[in-house]
Amino acid sequence: MNHEHAFVCGNPALDFAATLRARRTLRFEMFSTPDRLDAWFVESGLVDTVVPADDDDVEHAKALREAIYALVTARRLERQYDEAALDILNLAASKTPATPQLTPTGRSTEATAQQALSSLARCVVELLSGPDVPLLKECENPECTRIYVDRSRGTRRQWCGMESCGNRFKAAAYRARKKNAPSTASG
């Protein structure tokens, strides 16, 4: 399967929150159509198959995503939770989640968008009430707004992912050093 979405945050709910990219600048929307939402659910591994979403599902997903981002950011910065964001999250978490089933060939999870969103909301509840809160970081690439769980040794990770932001940032720093290096040619 060709993955069109990135999963570098260390938690499905954080990867979900990152589907609105470059929030401070370009604001690139990953859920432009219902089939993009469906693809995210399957590519994330949250479900194996999904009942096709509609436009209302996309709007609910975006609302939940923004609530997740607001709550994770508040927790990371040790601020109060936004009440409206809490209401959106808790309502989604109260719905029936995606339920895995045992089949003759193994585990299979089929879900509606609402069930998948409920599973994500429950994931946020666990994340923000659990031991990984001190490990939440925002990518140091100023263009990127992904929040990730830093499980690196010494928690010194700087970027959401080396293959995306890390390599880009390192290449730009290298070019800047090369440009500003004193010339060795004598004049």
Side-chain angles (χ1 to χ4, degrees), residues 7-24:
F7 300 92
V8 297
C9 299
N11 183 289
L14 297 177
D15 288 316
F16 186 72
T19 59
L20 179 61
R21 304 284 307 280
R23 288 170 177 273
R24 288 185 286 270

PDB file of all heavy atoms in Angstrom, residues 7-24:
ATOM      1  N   PHE A   7       3.447   8.995   9.747  1.00  0.00           N
ATOM      2  CA  PHE A   7       3.174   8.528  11.109  1.00  0.00           C
ATOM      3  C   PHE A   7       4.495   8.533  11.870  1.00  0.00           C
ATOM      4  O   PHE A   7       5.175   7.519  11.966  1.00  0.00           O
ATOM      5  CB  PHE A   7       2.532   7.143  11.077  1.00  0.00           C
ATOM      6  CG  PHE A   7       1.229   7.140  10.323  1.00  0.00           C
ATOM      7  CD1 PHE A   7       1.191   6.848   8.968  1.00  0.00           C
ATOM      8  CD2 PHE A   7       0.047   7.490  10.953  1.00  0.00           C
ATOM      9  CE1 PHE A   7       0.004   6.878   8.253  1.00  0.00           C
ATOM     10  CE2 PHE A   7      -1.152   7.528  10.246  1.00  0.00           C
ATOM     11  CZ  PHE A   7      -1.170   7.221   8.898  1.00  0.00           C
ATOM     12  N   VAL A   8       4.858   9.705  12.392  1.00  0.00           N
ATOM     13  CA  VAL A   8       6.174   9.873  13.019  1.00  0.00           C
ATOM     14  C   VAL A   8       6.080  10.353  14.464  1.00  0.00           C
ATOM     15  O   VAL A   8       7.102  10.548  15.107  1.00  0.00           O
ATOM     16  CB  VAL A   8       7.041  10.883  12.218  1.00  0.00           C
ATOM     17  CG1 VAL A   8       7.326  10.364  10.820  1.00  0.00           C
ATOM     18  CG2 VAL A   8       6.388  12.253  12.163  1.00  0.00           C
ATOM     19  N   CYS A   9       4.868  10.543  14.968  1.00  0.00           N
ATOM     20  CA  CYS A   9       4.694  11.201  16.257  1.00  0.00           C
ATOM     21  C   CYS A   9       4.746  10.270  17.468  1.00  0.00           C
ATOM     22  O   CYS A   9       4.796  10.724  18.601  1.00  0.00           O
ATOM     23  CB  CYS A   9       3.393  11.995  16.265  1.00  0.00           C
ATOM     24  SG  CYS A   9       3.350  13.298  15.010  1.00  0.00           S
ATOM     25  N   GLY A  10       4.705   8.964  17.229  1.00  0.00           N
ATOM     26  CA  GLY A  10       4.786   8.024  18.346  1.00  0.00           C
ATOM     27  C   GLY A  10       3.462   7.762  19.035  1.00  0.00           C
ATOM     28  O   GLY A  10       3.416   7.088  20.059  1.00  0.00           O
ATOM     29  N   ASN A  11       2.374   8.277  18.487  1.00  0.00           N
ATOM     30  CA  ASN A  11       1.057   8.069  19.060  1.00  0.00           C
ATOM     31  C   ASN A  11       0.036   8.394  17.971  1.00  0.00           C
ATOM     32  O   ASN A  11       0.134   9.454  17.344  1.00  0.00           O
ATOM     33  CB  ASN A  11       0.859   8.991  20.276  1.00  0.00           C
ATOM     34  CG  ASN A  11      -0.466   8.781  20.955  1.00  0.00           C
ATOM     35  OD1 ASN A  11      -1.510   9.141  20.403  1.00  0.00           O
ATOM     36  ND2 ASN A  11      -0.454   8.218  22.147  1.00  0.00           N
ATOM     37  N   PRO A  12      -0.951   7.519  17.734  1.00  0.00           N
ATOM     38  CA  PRO A  12      -1.897   7.777  16.645  1.00  0.00           C
ATOM     39  C   PRO A  12      -2.655   9.095  16.790  1.00  0.00           C
ATOM     40  O   PRO A  12      -2.937   9.768  15.797  1.00  0.00           O
ATOM     41  CB  PRO A  12      -2.852   6.585  16.672  1.00  0.00           C
ATOM     42  CG  PRO A  12      -2.447   5.721  17.796  1.00  0.00           C
ATOM     43  CD  PRO A  12      -1.189   6.246  18.404  1.00  0.00           C
ATOM     44  N   ALA A  13      -2.978   9.481  18.014  1.00  0.00           N
ATOM     45  CA  ALA A  13      -3.716  10.730  18.206  1.00  0.00           C
ATOM     46  C   ALA A  13      -2.861  11.938  17.822  1.00  0.00           C
ATOM     47  O   ALA A  13      -3.367  12.917  17.270  1.00  0.00           O
ATOM     48  CB  ALA A  13      -4.180  10.853  19.658  1.00  0.00           C
ATOM     49  N   LEU A  14      -1.559  11.870  18.072  1.00  0.00           N
ATOM     50  CA  LEU A  14      -0.667  12.966  17.692  1.00  0.00           C
ATOM     51  C   LEU A  14      -0.484  13.001  16.181  1.00  0.00           C
ATOM     52  O   LEU A  14      -0.432  14.083  15.581  1.00  0.00           O
ATOM     53  CB  LEU A  14       0.681  12.838  18.398  1.00  0.00           C
ATOM     54  CG  LEU A  14       0.634  12.937  19.924  1.00  0.00           C
ATOM     55  CD1 LEU A  14       2.024  12.731  20.512  1.00  0.00           C
ATOM     56  CD2 LEU A  14       0.039  14.263  20.374  1.00  0.00           C
ATOM     57  N   ASP A  15      -0.388  11.831  15.557  1.00  0.00           N
ATOM     58  CA  ASP A  15      -0.319  11.785  14.093  1.00  0.00           C
ATOM     59  C   ASP A  15      -1.602  12.350  13.483  1.00  0.00           C
ATOM     60  O   ASP A  15      -1.570  13.062  12.478  1.00  0.00           O
ATOM     61  CB  ASP A  15      -0.093  10.353  13.598  1.00  0.00           C
ATOM     62  CG  ASP A  15       1.317   9.859  13.870  1.00  0.00           C
ATOM     63  OD1 ASP A  15       2.275  10.618  13.645  1.00  0.00           O
ATOM     64  OD2 ASP A  15       1.454   8.699  14.296  1.00  0.00           O
ATOM     65  N   PHE A  16      -2.728  12.062  14.115  1.00  0.00           N
ATOM     66  CA  PHE A  16      -4.015  12.576  13.649  1.00  0.00           C
ATOM     67  C   PHE A  16      -4.042  14.104  13.759  1.00  0.00           C
ATOM     68  O   PHE A  16      -4.455  14.796  12.828  1.00  0.00           O
ATOM     69  CB  PHE A  16      -5.146  11.946  14.467  1.00  0.00           C
ATOM     70  CG  PHE A  16      -6.524  12.291  13.983  1.00  0.00           C
ATOM     71  CD1 PHE A  16      -7.013  11.746  12.809  1.00  0.00           C
ATOM     72  CD2 PHE A  16      -7.332  13.140  14.708  1.00  0.00           C
ATOM     73  CE1 PHE A  16      -8.288  12.054  12.353  1.00  0.00           C
ATOM     74  CE2 PHE A  16      -8.613  13.452  14.268  1.00  0.00           C
ATOM     75  CZ  PHE A  16      -9.090  12.907  13.087  1.00  0.00           C
ATOM     76  N   ALA A  17      -3.575  14.642  14.893  1.00  0.00           N
ATOM     77  CA  ALA A  17      -3.540  16.096  15.083  1.00  0.00           C
ATOM     78  C   ALA A  17      -2.647  16.764  14.040  1.00  0.00           C
ATOM     79  O   ALA A  17      -2.866  17.922  13.678  1.00  0.00           O
ATOM     80  CB  ALA A  17      -3.061  16.434  16.493  1.00  0.00           C
ATOM     81  N   ALA A  18      -1.663  16.030  13.541  1.00  0.00           N
ATOM     82  CA  ALA A  18      -0.713  16.576  12.563  1.00  0.00           C
ATOM     83  C   ALA A  18      -1.241  16.547  11.129  1.00  0.00           C
ATOM     84  O   ALA A  18      -0.505  16.898  10.209  1.00  0.00           O
ATOM     85  CB  ALA A  18       0.607  15.811  12.648  1.00  0.00           C
ATOM     86  N   THR A  19      -2.500  16.175  10.942  1.00  0.00           N
ATOM     87  CA  THR A  19      -3.031  16.143   9.575  1.00  0.00           C
ATOM     88  C   THR A  19      -3.420  17.530   9.059  1.00  0.00           C
ATOM     89  O   THR A  19      -3.791  17.660   7.902  1.00  0.00           O
ATOM     90  CB  THR A  19      -4.228  15.175   9.444  1.00  0.00           C
ATOM     91  OG1 THR A  19      -5.262  15.591  10.339  1.00  0.00           O
ATOM     92  CG2 THR A  19      -3.801  13.739   9.713  1.00  0.00           C
ATOM     93  N   LEU A  20      -3.328  18.542   9.905  1.00  0.00           N
ATOM     94  CA  LEU A  20      -3.337  19.925   9.428  1.00  0.00           C
ATOM     95  C   LEU A  20      -1.885  20.357   9.577  1.00  0.00           C
ATOM     96  O   LEU A  20      -1.395  20.568  10.680  1.00  0.00           O
ATOM     97  CB  LEU A  20      -4.263  20.831  10.239  1.00  0.00           C
ATOM     98  CG  LEU A  20      -4.283  22.298   9.788  1.00  0.00           C
ATOM     99  CD1 LEU A  20      -4.766  22.413   8.341  1.00  0.00           C
ATOM    100  CD2 LEU A  20      -5.158  23.126  10.704  1.00  0.00           C
ATOM    101  N   ARG A  21      -1.179  20.403   8.464  1.00  0.00           N
ATOM    102  CA  ARG A  21       0.262  20.650   8.463  1.00  0.00           C
ATOM    103  C   ARG A  21       0.571  22.134   8.453  1.00  0.00           C
ATOM    104  O   ARG A  21      -0.222  22.928   7.975  1.00  0.00           O
ATOM    105  CB  ARG A  21       0.886  19.995   7.227  1.00  0.00           C
ATOM    106  CG  ARG A  21       0.604  18.503   7.085  1.00  0.00           C
ATOM    107  CD  ARG A  21       1.424  17.647   8.024  1.00  0.00           C
ATOM    108  NE  ARG A  21       2.839  17.927   7.922  1.00  0.00           N
ATOM    109  CZ  ARG A  21       3.639  17.450   6.969  1.00  0.00           C
ATOM    110  NH1 ARG A  21       3.165  16.645   6.056  1.00  0.00           N
ATOM    111  NH2 ARG A  21       4.906  17.769   6.946  1.00  0.00           N
ATOM    112  N   ALA A  22       1.734  22.495   8.962  1.00  0.00           N
ATOM    113  CA  ALA A  22       2.236  23.873   8.929  1.00  0.00           C
ATOM    114  C   ALA A  22       1.171  24.857   9.410  1.00  0.00           C
ATOM    115  O   ALA A  22       0.824  25.822   8.728  1.00  0.00           O
ATOM    116  CB  ALA A  22       2.742  24.224   7.534  1.00  0.00           C
ATOM    117  N   ARG A  23       0.648  24.611  10.594  1.00  0.00           N
ATOM    118  CA  ARG A  23      -0.454  25.399  11.141  1.00  0.00           C
ATOM    119  C   ARG A  23      -0.161  26.899  11.202  1.00  0.00           C
ATOM    120  O   ARG A  23      -1.063  27.708  11.069  1.00  0.00           O
ATOM    121  CB  ARG A  23      -0.773  24.923  12.565  1.00  0.00           C
ATOM    122  CG  ARG A  23      -1.434  23.592  12.615  1.00  0.00           C
ATOM    123  CD  ARG A  23      -1.495  23.057  14.053  1.00  0.00           C
ATOM    124  NE  ARG A  23      -2.204  21.798  14.051  1.00  0.00           N
ATOM    125  CZ  ARG A  23      -3.530  21.708  14.142  1.00  0.00           C
ATOM    126  NH1 ARG A  23      -4.260  22.774  14.264  1.00  0.00           N
ATOM    127  NH2 ARG A  23      -4.096  20.524  14.113  1.00  0.00           N
ATOM    128  N   ARG A  24       1.090  27.282  11.440  1.00  0.00           N
ATOM    129  CA  ARG A  24       1.422  28.705  11.592  1.00  0.00           C
ATOM    130  C   ARG A  24       1.625  29.423  10.263  1.00  0.00           C
ATOM    131  O   ARG A  24       1.689  30.641  10.237  1.00  0.00           O
ATOM    132  CB  ARG A  24       2.681  28.856  12.447  1.00  0.00           C
ATOM    133  CG  ARG A  24       2.444  28.537  13.915  1.00  0.00           C
ATOM    134  CD  ARG A  24       3.669  28.821  14.753  1.00  0.00           C
ATOM    135  NE  ARG A  24       4.708  27.827  14.565  1.00  0.00           N
ATOM    136  CZ  ARG A  24       4.826  26.714  15.272  1.00  0.00           C
ATOM    137  NH1 ARG A  24       3.954  26.441  16.216  1.00  0.00           N
ATOM    138  NH2 ARG A  24       5.805  25.867  15.045  1.00  0.00           N
TER     139      ARG A  24
END
